[in-house]
Every structure is written in C-alpha cells, then in structure tokens.
Amino acid sequence: MAVDDSESQIVIVGGGPVGMLLACELAGLGVRTVVLEARTAVSRRPKATTLHARTVQCLQRRGHLPALVGLSAATHRASPFHFAGIPGLSISAPATEPEPLLKCPQEDLERLFEERALIAGARILRDHRVTEIQQTQDAVRVVAEGPSGQTSFTADYLVGADGARSTVRTRAGIPSRSIPATVSAMAGDVRLVDEDALRPGWHRTPRGWVIVKNAGGGVVRLRTLNCAGPHPARHLPLTLAEFQNEVSWITDRDIAMTEPEWLSRFSDFSRLASAYRAGRILLAGDAAHVHFPIGGQGLSTGLLDGLNLGWKLALEVRGDAGTGLLDTYDRERRPAAQKITDNARAQLALMRPDAELDPLRDMFAGMLPGGPFGDALASMVSAQDTVLPSLTPSPSHWEGRFLNNAVLDTDDGRTDVISLLRQGRPLLLLTGDNGETHRQQARAWQDLLHVVQAAATPELPCDALLVRPDGYVAWSPGGDPLSSALTIYFGERGGTRSPGPRGTPECGLADALS
C-alpha cells in the first residue's frame, strides 16, 4: 500500500556519515529533514579512519565534535603523515585549532551524527530503498520501498548521499567523467598463522605494496596494491584464498592467514559528477566523487561537502538565500574534488613499484620533512590550502579564506571564533571603531546574522569580518561594501526577496548539466 508523506522540506538519500552530517546541519537549522537509508543498521565494516585538519576545524566550528582545543604556548600543532607511502610529511595547524589529524572510525562518526540529527528533529528511516525519483518545477517526489510497503515523499529538494553507485545520480541523469581502473587492491581483517610474518607498516616490494596495521585482539588489517592491472573479476566477492595468494605473491613468500572478519577489493577507478546540482537534486560525498583511497582524503572531502551545502540549503528553503547562492555549492566543492582526485592519482603514480621511479621517490623523501615543498603538500592533503572563489565583484584580500580560531573578549566575556559559529548562523564580527557603521549596513539582515562586538586583537586580520557558518570569510573591508556581500549571500531586504519553499528553482535540469 502506497503512503504519501509530504511533511519534509529536504529528503536525503543515504545515511552514511555525509548524509547524517547533512541531516544534523539542516535539522539543527529548523529544516524538516528525512533520511532514507537502505541499510538496517550502521555498517561494522572498517572504512575510513582519518579526518584531516580542515574537516576537523569546520566540524568543530559547527559543534559536531567534542571540545578538542586547548590553548597552547606553541604557535602550531603538528601530526606526522605520509605522501604516497613516503614518510616525513608533517601536517600542521595553529595551536588554537584542534590537532591536525583526528583518528576516528567511520562507523563511530556515523553513529555520532545520527544521534545528533535525531536530537535536532530529523527523521531517520532505515531499511528504505529508493525506487523512483520525479522532479518538477516546484518539488521532488521520491518513492521508497520500506518495511511497511511503498512510501512517497514530496520535498523542496533531494540530496543524494548514497555512495559511489548512487541511485540518485543515476535516476537524475547527472553525467560524470570517469577514469578506468588500472590497479587491483584488496583489504581485510584476518589472523596470521605466524603472528610475526608481517610487521606493521607500509611495505613496498618489486610487485606492489602490503600495508599492515594491528586491529587489536590478534587481528591484523591488511591492504594490498597490485599495479599489474585491474582484476578481471573485481566486482566478485573476495575470498580468503585469493587474499592470501595476493599477499603471498606481493611479498614473495607464503603468508598463511585464517579467520577473516571481512574482505573487500577496490581499485583506482575515479569518477567526478559533471554537476553537483540538477535543478532540485543535489549530490554529496561518494555520490559526487570517487577516487583512489590514499591518504584518508575521501571521508574528509565528503564531510566538507555536507558542511558547505547544509547552511546554503537551509537558507534556500526558508527563502533567505541570495539569488545563485545554492549554485556556489558546485562551484566551490567540485573543483576541490577534482584536486583531490588528481593528487590521489599522483600518489598512486609514485607508488608504482617500477625501479625507474626510485630516484623520484628518493627526491620526495628528501623534500617532505619541512620546507616549502613539504608544507605545500601537507596543506593540499589536509585541504588547508583551500581558497574559495570570491562572490563580490571587487573582493578584499581575505574574502574566501579560512578564518583561524582566535580568542576574543566581548561584553559577554571571553570566547573564541569556534564558539561563536556553533549556532550555525553567519557571524558579523566587529572589533574596530567603525563597528556602528557596519551594524547600520547590516541592519536589514540582522535577523539572519550573529553580530558580535569584541575588543580589538592582532589575532584577527581585519576589524570587521562576515564569516560563513563553515568558517570561511564572506566579506572584509577593502573591497565592496558589506551591504553588497549581504545582498549576494542573503538577497535583497526591504525590496525583492528570494523565492520561498517550492518556488521556481534557480536553474533548470538542462542548465545544471550544460
């Protein structure tokens, strides 16, 4: 029996960490949100475990992580990392920010975000598989098969966060550019018959790589890379015998193993959606981009998608977004995914076991520890080099740059930038003598803004800053007036307003895919 459910403003397909985070953001901003997830429970299979600096910084600004920051006498924090398996890279961040690398299993993040989404009022419907998507000028209708039969949902927007084989991307007809697989990779948790047969670490041989990590309780987590070419049966389930043979072949000695807890295969197949938006349908996470999983960048990239999209989509459905604001999601996040795809391919090229690459690997090993080259690579891998495209016609130097945390003295006491952004509202931060002038310019938008007057401090680059909920600077003095930026982001006030829910979308399907 079909049931119609028209109570939601946003439907999210996919309840992984990206979908659950987006549900947190939207529900926390008062948007009626439903998540449709095909799985009945959080997957226990090990996946990503690394969150990089910019993702950690943005998550904490939105209150989705515990209080990890303690003021330090040092000027920077640093965490050791690698590039293409070559050690020596150091990922750093200012001392007022969290540690640059956070190790946290993906399943724990998913549970955390789901709990927060439920508390905020989102509806999470598990065991619901999407079977139909219909987009009109005014809404999106989604049909899902669940435990009680068929249910249809009508919403203002639909977000596909449903993974690499995205049903939403396919049914919306959003094209993508892909790069075929060139390598075969495997992973699994097993017990070694000889516990000392493989030591933890990254092991390169003339045939490929074996990466070994202790998973606890006598279990080891193994990953392999075979650069001879893609496996001809890479879509079939991986068996223990095949996994054992692969590890043994790469190491050139017998490695006996038993008791597999999980086994998986993957490759360097890459895909990037040609558009992140098609009318009222948007993509996030692996539904939008897939790349070789090196350096722990995939999960971080998807979560940054959600943090970029959430507040914009909330403004849009409330009728408070400037014309074209929602389209900036594609312009800001798709180039970031392309950049990560490219650096993952570059790392894989360095990992190919050809002896001819040894001089290049040696050169990288000598350049990674410190210096401009290592710093540039560390900023790229951690996404701290991201500068967003300007929206105002005559931007200041700081527009589009990330605002580092700073301690502030306000009338309400001592606080910091991180704490001020946890409301999820754009922040107008004033520290100079012209504060009243800026307040007057922003008066028409004061219901949307969190306006804070603080004592002047050299920790801030300007005496007035408009800061987006994700921590990036939307405006600062030196370019167009504040009112211009506010109009671009939040629409005209006192005159024409942006269309409210179920109004005409900013771009049609054909426009989004052109």
Side-chain angles (χ1 to χ4, degrees):
M1 176 180 178
V3 178
D4 183 67
D5 185 331
S6 301
E7 294 300 314
S8 300
Q9 294 170 293
I10 304 293
V11 171
I12 300 170
V13 179
V18 175
M20 291 299 184
L21 173 62
L22 186 56
C24 284
E25 289 287 275
L26 291 166
L29 292 171
V31 178
R32 298 190 306 275
T33 304
V34 61
V35 178
L36 304 177
E37 168 53 46
R39 296 172 301 162
T40 59
V42 175
S43 173
R44 299 297 305 274
R45 301 190 72 174
K47 294 183 179 179
T49 59
T50 300
L51 289 183
H52 279 290
R54 184 49 43 85
T55 307
V56 176
Q57 293 158 7
C58 291
L59 284 172
Q60 198 180 43
R61 279 156 174 75
R62 293 295 303 110
H64 295 308
L65 292 177
L68 301 173
V69 171
L71 298 184
S72 169
T75 57
H76 281 79
R77 301 173 184 264
S79 297
F81 205 61
H82 66 89
F83 190 82
I86 304 170
L89 199 65
S90 179
I91 307 229
S92 66
T96 52
E97 297 289 350
E99 291 289 342
L101 286 176
L102 176 63
K103 290 293 185 178
C104 183
Q106 181 170 316
E107 64 174 287
D108 292 350
L109 284 173
E110 187 176 322
R111 288 192 180 91
L112 170 66
F113 297 151
E114 180 174 8
E115 179 182 354
R116 290 179 61 83
L118 288 169
I119 292 172
R123 296 170 60 202
I124 313 295
L125 301 180
R126 291 191 173 273
D127 199 14
H128 279 68
R129 189 174 300 276
V130 171
T131 58
E132 185 179 345
I133 295 172
Q134 295 177 340
Q135 179 175 196
T136 68
Q137 186 77 354
D138 299 322
V140 182
R141 180 174 177 267
V142 182
V143 179
E145 193 70 36
S148 301
Q150 207 174 71
T151 305
S152 65
F153 303 83
T154 303
D156 297 313
Y157 288 90
L158 166 67
V159 180
D162 50 340
R165 297 180 176 87
S166 172
T167 297
V168 173
R169 185 188 64 243
T170 302
R171 291 186 175 270
I174 299 176
S176 59
R177 296 187 297 274
S178 61
I179 301 173
T182 66
V183 302
S184 174
M186 301 178 183
D189 280 5
V190 298
R191 292 181 183 273
L192 300 180
V193 174
D194 178 1
E195 294 182 356
D196 297 323
L198 291 170
R199 69 184 188 280
W202 292 62
H203 307 290
R204 180 170 61 88
T205 80
R207 296 179 175 182
W209 289 77
V210 175
I211 304 165
V212 186
K213 178 182 178 182
N214 288 325
V219 176
V220 295
R221 182 161 301 155
L222 302 178
R223 285 171 288 168
T224 67
L225 176 61
N226 182 338
C227 296
H231 196 282
R234 61 184 180 275
H235 299 301
L236 296 180
L238 178 63
T239 66
L240 178 62
E242 185 182 358
F243 191 41
Q244 178 174 305
N245 290 339
E246 184 80 343
V247 174
S248 299
W249 181 80
I250 292 174
T251 59
D252 198 24
R253 55 196 172 93
D254 290 335
I255 304 293
M257 57 186 70
T258 186
E259 299 182 43
E261 295 189 3
W262 66 278
L263 297 170
S264 178
R265 65 171 93 240
F266 57 99
S267 72
D268 61 331
F269 172 83
S270 300
R271 176 193 288 119
L272 179 61
S274 300
Y276 279 19
R277 181 184 180 194
R280 294 183 176 273
I281 299 174
L282 301 108
L283 302 177
D286 287 353
H289 46 78
V290 177
H291 56 81
F292 183 61
I294 182 70
Q297 300 176 92
L299 175 60
S300 290
T301 305
L303 294 178
L304 287 175
D305 291 346
L307 291 167
N308 186 292
L309 177 59
W311 62 276
K312 296 175 181 177
L313 201 49
L315 288 171
E316 180 70 21
V317 299
R318 295 199 317 242
D320 289 320
T323 301
L325 178 65
L326 193 55
D327 288 324
T328 66
Y329 169 60
D330 178 285
R331 295 202 299 271
E332 292 174 357
R333 293 306 303 157
R334 199 152 57 91
Q338 181 67 67
K339 188 175 183 179
I340 288 167
T341 300
D342 292 343
N343 93 54
R345 293 180 65 200
Q347 292 190 64
L348 179 59
L350 275 174
M351 294 179 73
R352 296 184 185 275
D354 310 45
E356 292 84 357
L357 291 174
D358 286 344
L360 184 59
R361 281 187 281 264
D362 290 342
M363 184 179 72
F364 266 73
M367 297 173 68
L368 287 184
F373 183 74
D375 292 345
L377 285 183
S379 294
M380 177 184 69
V381 169
S382 62
Q384 293 183 102
D385 65 347
T386 301
V387 177
L388 301 179
S390 301
L391 299 190
T392 61
S394 300
S396 69
H397 170 73
W398 286 102
E399 185 175 330
R401 297 178 184 274
F402 193 73
L403 179 63
N404 289 328
N405 192 30
V407 178
L408 304 168
D409 288 313
T410 72
D411 292 340
D412 296 324
R414 176 160 286 198
T415 185
D416 61 8
V417 171
I418 288 176
S419 300
L420 293 176
L421 288 172
R422 285 187 178 141
Q423 295 182 10
R425 298 168 65 190
L427 170 66
L428 180 58
L429 182 56
L430 307 173
T431 60
D433 296 334
N434 294 324
E436 187 57 35
T437 300
H438 297 312
R439 281 180 185 270
Q440 290 300 324
Q441 287 192 51
R443 187 170 299 280
W445 295 272
Q446 63 183 356
D447 59 315
L448 295 176
L449 302 174
H450 183 197
V451 182
V452 174
Q453 181 76 47
T457 171
E459 295 182 70
L460 294 178
C462 307
D463 62 2
L465 291 163
L466 177 63
V467 188
R468 301 165 22 147
D470 54 14
Y472 283 88
V473 175
W475 171 88
S476 68
D480 290 305
L482 173 60
S483 57
S484 175
L486 290 169
T487 300
I488 289 170
Y489 273 90
F490 313 119
E492 296 280 357
R493 287 300 181 98
T496 304
R497 292 288 306 276
S498 302
R502 310 258 169 104
T504 302
E506 295 157 12
C507 68
L509 181 62
D511 294 332
L513 300 183
S514 62

